Amino acid sequence: MPHVIAEPCIGVKDRSCQEVCPVECIYDGGEQLYIHPDECIDCGACVPVCPVSAIYPEEDLPEQWESYIEKNRSLSSGPNLHRREG
């Protein structure tokens, strides 16, 4: 199961999580960062560095933020910003 970034990230976007992610699966989605669910290797390196405790394993996401599973998935439907095409 991938990790999910939830509501506490909105307006914060600290980016500490991006710095520690070994597979670069955390992207800027505008109002918040998000984790690409197909790229996440479920290492958990991002969880302890998040200053607002916005990152959870999908199966542990608090019920009030379950919509963020789909939000992370829908935001990840765009191009992979960490990999150059061509």
Side-chain angles (χ1 to χ4, degrees), residues 5 14 16 21-22 34 36-38 42 45 47 55 61 66 82 85:
I5 298 178
D14 175 72
S16 296
C21 181
Y34 70 91
H36 192 297
D38 296 331
D42 201 28
V47 176
I55 306 173
L61 190 66
E66 284 185 359
H82 289 292
E85 293 185 25

Side-chain angles (χ1 to χ4, degrees), residues 22-69:
V23 294
E24 298 181 333
C25 69
I26 301 173
Y27 299 89
D28 189 329
E31 68 180 1
Q32 74 170 84
L33 300 175
Y34 70 91
I35 296 175
H36 192 297
D38 296 331
E39 297 175 4
C40 179
I41 60 171
D42 201 28
C43 70
C46 56
V47 176
V49 299
C50 180
V52 293
S53 300
I55 306 173
Y56 296 86
E58 186 175 316
E59 64 272 12
D60 295 335
L61 190 66
E63 189 175 323
Q64 74 265 26
W65 294 328
E66 284 185 359
S67 64
Y68 284 84
I69 294 170

